[in-house]
Amino acid sequence: MLNLNKFVMAVLVLSSTTVFSGTMGSSCKAVDATTACEGASWDFGARALYLSSAYSDGDYRYAAMNNITGQYEDFDQKTGWGFYLEGSYHYNTDSDVSLNLYHIAKSMKKIFDGDFDFFRGREAEAAVSHIKPQWDALNLEFGQHVSFGENKHVRFHGGLQYARITIKEKLAGENPQGLHDGLAFEFQSKSTYNGFGGRVGADMGYDLGYDIGIYSNFAAAVLGGYDKASDAFIDNTGAPFKSHASKVAMVPEVEAKLGIKYDYGMAMGDLTLDLAWMWINYFNATQVIPSNFLTRTKPETVTGSFGLQGLYFGLHWLGNGF
């Protein structure tokens, strides 16, 4: 009986020790998600864009093939300037409605002196090629800002986007051989996409201290619209050779930014300076019409994607609540 009592006492001591050691260990507590107090304010911002374009279709990625070396000549994808403008109204517990606009248009030129074979089956020398991409996007967003502790915050948003992508191409030169020997020619091409659809995203930020923070923004959209393409070839032999194509196109779009910002408090609100690298891609948003411009062939189009990447920097002002 005495041995049984000793065994029971030992089990109770061990059990109480285990419970005691468990309650004294470290414990984790979930960080509460909070929103700002109810209020209203305005904000405005302007950024400069310094972006280079990217294409998945060969007509825009490459300018021509050098028939002497057998190598493709890359089109110099020069970086061009654009702008971003935004305005927002904040209401209730840090909800907002925002309207923002992207715009960039640039022109690239390449001069050829020699024997080159261009896309669409045209051979030429002493030729000049131009390409001009343009991108415009208008976003209407409804957002909600949420804080997770003192340093982390996220703005969730959803809304609508209208986008327009235009790529113009022009080639002028002299054909050295073939059916039209020694005759000057000019080729013009235009691809245009207009789309409208829903867009969602999240703007995530982390405060490092001393009014400095880093952020990572992501958005995605699905646009429905019309994709149109037109070609015109003119030489000294007669009437222009023209082609047209149009189709309904569903285009997915993704956008991302990774940057750093500095907040400067003022009597009339907060001024933010930020610098980021941004990536944008529209899938299957362009089309071209392959043709040798000598014989009328079965209508055919080749689709490609259009992208931009580069610097995004500027100022943003948030007014005090009222």
Side-chain angles (χ1 to χ4, degrees):
M1 185 66 180
L2 181 61
N3 291 335
L4 179 60
N5 290 338
K6 289 182 178 180
F7 176 75
V8 173
M9 289 295 294
V11 172
L12 291 175
V13 170
L14 290 174
S15 300
S16 62
T17 303
T18 304
V19 174
F20 181 75
S21 62
T23 56
M24 289 298 291
S26 61
S27 61
C28 297
K29 180 182 179 182
V31 177
D32 294 331
T34 60
T35 60
C37 296
E38 189 169 348
S41 61
W42 291 90
D43 73 68
F44 302 95
R47 274 83 166 182
L49 308 177
Y50 192 57
L51 309 177
S52 60
S53 52
Y55 313 93
S56 67
D57 176 68
D59 274 34
Y60 299 130
R61 285 189 299 166
Y62 302 109
M65 186 182 75
N66 190 321
N67 289 326
I68 305 300
T69 64
Q71 301 293 321
Y72 282 110
E73 294 280 340
D74 290 333
F75 217 120
D76 185 14
Q77 301 297 337
K78 295 180 180 178
T79 306
W81 289 98
F83 61 82
Y84 170 84
L85 301 175
E86 67 172 332
S88 303
Y89 174 67
H90 299 255
Y91 60 96
N92 291 343
T93 55
D94 220 357
S95 300
D96 69 82
V97 55
S98 174
L99 188 66
N100 57 71
L101 171 68
Y102 291 93
H103 170 80
I104 185 168
K106 58 181 182 175
S107 181
M108 295 170 283
K109 177 181 177 182
K110 192 174 182 69
I111 300 175
F112 301 90
D113 186 10
D115 187 7
F116 289 90
D117 188 11
F118 293 87
F119 286 91
R120 327 291 176 90
R122 175 59 54 181
E123 189 174 359
E125 60 185 11
V128 179
S129 180
H130 298 263
I131 184 170
K132 183 179 180 180
Q134 179 173 327
W135 170 58
D136 297 279
L138 182 66
N139 298 310
L140 176 63
E141 301 173 355
F142 299 90
Q144 175 63 58
H145 187 280
V146 181
S147 297
F148 298 90
E150 297 181 358
N151 308 52
K152 301 178 288 293
H153 50 87
V154 181
R155 175 181 173 263
F156 300 99
H157 61 86
L160 302 170
Q161 180 181 101
Y162 166 76
R164 177 182 174 88
I165 300 169
T166 304
I167 303 175
K168 296 180 181 179
E169 186 181 7
K170 180 179 179 181
L171 173 66
E174 183 176 306
N175 189 22
Q177 58 184 347
L179 182 61
H180 307 304
D181 291 345
L183 292 179
F185 71 90
E186 182 176 291
F187 164 74
Q188 296 181 10
S189 173
K190 183 179 179 180
S191 174
T192 303
Y193 176 75
N194 288 280
F196 177 80
R199 182 173 180 265
V200 296
D203 303 340
M204 298 167 283
Y206 184 83
D207 297 329
L208 300 174
Y210 302 99
D211 298 321
I212 298 175
I214 56 176
Y215 63 90
S216 177
N217 301 347
F218 175 80
V222 177
L223 310 178
Y226 289 92
D227 199 347
K228 298 181 180 180
S230 62
D231 287 349
F233 179 80
I234 306 170
D235 61 20
N236 295 348
T237 62
F241 189 109
K242 296 183 179 181
S243 302
H244 300 274
S246 178
K247 65 178 182 178
V248 176
M250 300 297 294
V251 172
E253 181 256 353
V254 292
E255 174 186 330
K257 299 186 186 80
L258 181 62
I260 186 170
K261 65 183 183 70
Y262 173 75
D263 296 322
Y264 179 74
M266 302 185 303
M268 298 297 295
D270 294 330
L271 186 66
T272 299
L273 294 79
D274 67 325
L275 172 67
W277 192 271
M278 69 180 299
W279 300 265
I280 298 168
N281 196 73
Y282 290 83
F283 298 89
N284 299 324
T286 65
Q287 65 173 333
V288 294
I289 310 171
S291 173
N292 60 10
F293 302 106
L294 300 178
T295 59
R296 296 189 179 275
T297 58
K298 181 180 178 180
E300 180 185 9
T301 61
V302 176
T303 60
S305 298
F306 174 75
L308 293 162
Q309 66 170 333
L311 287 174
Y312 163 100
F313 59 95
L315 299 172
H316 176 268
W317 174 80
L318 173 64
N320 292 328
F322 58 86

